[in-house]
Amino acid sequence: MNASRTARERVRAELVREITDIARVQLASEGASGLSLRAVAREMGMVSSAVHRYFPTKDDLLTALIVDGYNSVGAAVEDADAAGPPDDFGARWLIVCHAVRNWALARPHEYALIYGSPVPGYRAPEDTIGPASRATTVYGRILGDAHRAGRLSPPDICPPVPPILSTDAEIIRSLMPGVSDDVITRAITAWTGLYGMISFELFGQFNNVVTHRAELFDHNMRGLARFLGLPD
Amino acid sequence: MNASRTARERVRAELVREITDIARVQLASEGASGLSLRAVAREMGMVSSAVHRYFPTKDDLLTALIVDGYNSVGAAVEDADAAGPPDDFGARWLIVCHAVRNWALARPHEYALIYGSPVPGYRAPEDTIGPASRATTVYGRILGDAHRAGRLSPPDICPPVPPILSTDAEIIRSLMPGVSDDVITRAITAWTGLYGMISFELFGQFNNVVTHRAELFDHNMRGLARFLGLPD
DNA sequence: AATCGTCAAGAGCACTGCTCTCGATTTATC
DNA sequence: GATAAATCGAGAGCAGTGCTCTTGACGATT
C-alpha cells in the first residue's frame, strides 16, 4: 500500500522534473517572461491544462526554477571551495568569485532570474530563502576561517562602523563568528561588488567599454580581496 | 508652410509624449513585462492600432522609456554634483551615490528597466548608449577633478594592473584624463559596487538580512571612497 | 466490487502584440 | 484654389498567452 502510493507519487515527481527541465531549456532561449506553460506542454505532448495540475500557476513554475537556480549556484560555489586549498584564504575567495562568474556566464538567464530584476507581480515565497543563502554561507565560511586562522587583517582605511549597523551585523556574524563589524560591512561591499560586476557584464553595461572582462574581473576581485584583508 | 508642417508634427510629438507618460505610469505599477500597448491605448481613449503608428512595436516604446530613464538618472546625478562643494571630492562622490540610490528607490521599475536584467528578446539600439553614459561621465569628472587637484591618493593595497587591461583603460581614461590604470580599475570596482549595492537592495537580496539599508549604503560608499583614494 | 481521488483532455474567457484594410483628414504639389 | 499624396484613427482579425471549468477515464482504497 505504501509502495503503490509511492508509485503514483513517483510518476508525479518524474513529471514535475520533466516539466522543470523543459522549462529551463525554454528559459535559456526565451528568458523568464518568454516562458510559456503552453509551450512546455506542447513540448511534452501534453495539453496545457494538464501542466496546471503540477504547477497551478506560472509563478509556481518560476519559483521551482528559482529554487533550482539558487541550489545550482550554491552547489557550484560549494564544490569550487571544497576543491581549493583550505588554508589559502585569498585563493579560496578568488576561486569562489570565478565559480560564480562562470556559472552565470553559462546560464545567463538563470542568473538574471535570481539576481536580476524580479519578475513583476512575482512574490518570492519563503522556499527560496534557504537555497538563496547557500552561496553566501560559503563566503562567510572563508572569511570566518581566515579570521580564526589569524590571517584576516583588513587595511585601516575605512571609517568606523555606525553603531546602528550592529544589529544587522549580528545576523551576518552567525556566518563568520568572531569577526568585527568592520569586516562584516567590508564583506557586504565585496559581496555586492562581486555580483555588481557580474551583473554589469551580463546585463550589457560593459558594452562598448570593457572588452577584457575575465581579466578585469579577476583583477578587481583581487583588489576586493585586499580590501577585505585576505592574504595574497 | 513650415508652421503648418510643424502643426501636425507638434500634435504628433504631443501624442508621443502622452503615450510615454502613460506607459511610465503603467511601468511603475506593472513592471516592464506587464506593460501593454493596449492598456496604454485604452487609457488614452485610443484604439490599440493607433498607438502602433507612433511606436511600431513594443520594443520601440521600451526603448523610449529606457532612453528617458537614462536621461532622468543622468540629470539627477548631474544636478546633485553641481549642487555640491566642487572641491570636496569625497563629498561629491557620496552625494552622487546617494543621488543614484534615491533616484532608484523612487522609481524601482525604471531602475530595473535600465540596470536590471534586460527584457528578453529586446536588443538595445544605439540611441541608448549616449544617455547611458551621462551618469558615468559625472563619476569620471569627480575622479578626474580630484586627480588634477592632487587629492587622489589610493591606498597601496591592490596588485599591479595586468598590461592587457591597458587598452580598456584607455577608453575610460577619456572621462578622467591623466589617472593611472590602477585608479581606473578601482573606479570600475567602486562603480559596480555602487550599482551592485542598489540592485541587491531593490531586487530583494537584502531581505531578512539587512534592515538599516540607508546607513549601510552610506557607510559602504564611504569605504569605497577610501578604496578609491578620495579624501575624507 | 463500489467509491473516491487523481488525471489528461478539451472548450472557453479575457487578454496580449501585431497586421491589414478602410474611410477621413491633413499636407504637399501643380 | 484644386488635386494628388501622405498620414491618421478606427475596426476587424490572427495567433498567441495564462488560467478556469467541465467531462470522462483510470487507478487506488475501503
Side-chain angles (χ1 to χ4, degrees), chain A residues 115-166:
Chain A
Y115 291 113
S117 10
V119 181
Y122 173 80
R123 176 101 193 101
E126 304 210 343
D127 317 25
T128 62
I129 73 174
S133 60
R134 281 178 68 173
T136 315
T137 301
V138 176
Y139 312 142
R141 188 159 49 227
I142 295 175
L143 289 184
D145 289 354
H147 171 74
R148 268 212 337 274
R151 310 235 32 209
L152 192 63
S153 43
D156 185 24
I157 59 173
C158 287
V161 179
I164 194 174
L165 293 180
S166 298

Side-chain angles (χ1 to χ4, degrees), chain A residues 58-206:
Chain A
K58 194 182 170 184
D59 278 6
D60 295 313
L61 179 55
L62 274 181
T63 297
L65 293 179
I66 288 173
V67 170
D68 287 356
Y70 275 126
N71 278 320
S72 174
V73 66
V77 165
E78 289 166 2
D79 293 351
D81 186 44
D87 298 327
D88 190 343
F89 308 105
R92 283 172 66 185
W93 159 255
L94 266 187
I95 286 172
V96 161
C97 289
H98 282 285
V100 178
R101 178 170 178 269
N102 290 334
W103 183 91
L105 288 179
R107 305 160 182 79
H109 286 105
E110 264 184 278
Y111 177 87
L113 183 63
I114 61 183
Y115 291 113
S117 10
V119 181
Y122 173 80
R123 176 101 193 101
E126 304 210 343
D127 317 25
T128 62
I129 73 174
S133 60
R134 281 178 68 173
T136 315
T137 301
V138 176
Y139 312 142
R141 188 159 49 227
I142 295 175
L143 289 184
D145 289 354
H147 171 74
R148 268 212 337 274
R151 310 235 32 209
L152 192 63
S153 43
D156 185 24
I157 59 173
C158 287
V161 179
I164 194 174
L165 293 180
S166 298
T167 56
D168 286 345
E170 208 53 50
I171 303 175
I172 304 172
R173 206 187 327 268
S174 64
L175 296 176
M176 31 189 177
V179 304
S180 65
D181 286 2
D182 176 58
V183 165
I184 287 175
T185 59
R186 288 176 198 241
I188 297 177
T189 296
W191 168 37
T192 54
L194 160 62
Y195 286 97
M197 186 118 189
I198 295 176
S199 294
F200 259 39
E201 179 175 356
L202 248 61
F203 298 164
Q205 228 72 30
F206 279 162

Side-chain angles (χ1 to χ4, degrees), chain B residues 143 146 151-155 183 186 223-232:
Chain B
L143 289 183
R151 310 239 29 212
L152 193 62
S153 44
V183 165
R186 288 175 198 243
L224 284 178
R226 304 296 183 284
F227 179 76
L228 281 170
L230 288 170
D232 299 353

Side-chain angles (χ1 to χ4, degrees), chain B residues 4-5 8 35-38 42 48-49 52 57-58:
Chain B
S4 63
R5 183 161 80 179
R8 180 154 75 185
L35 204 161
S36 154
L37 288 186
R38 290 182 114 109
R42 220 177 299 131
S48 71
S49 57
H52 277 94
T57 185
K58 194 182 169 185

Side-chain angles (χ1 to χ4, degrees), chain B residues 28-86:
Chain B
S29 68
E30 305 291 337
S33 63
L35 204 161
S36 154
L37 288 186
R38 290 182 114 109
V40 172
R42 220 177 299 131
E43 188 85 12
M44 300 181 59
M46 262 176 149
V47 87
S48 71
S49 57
V51 179
H52 277 94
R53 213 170 277 276
Y54 299 91
F55 294 95
T57 185
K58 194 182 169 185
D59 279 6
D60 295 314
L61 179 54
L62 273 181
T63 298
L65 293 179
I66 289 174
V67 170
D68 286 358
Y70 275 126
N71 278 320
S72 174
V73 66
V77 165
E78 289 166 3
D79 293 351
D81 187 44

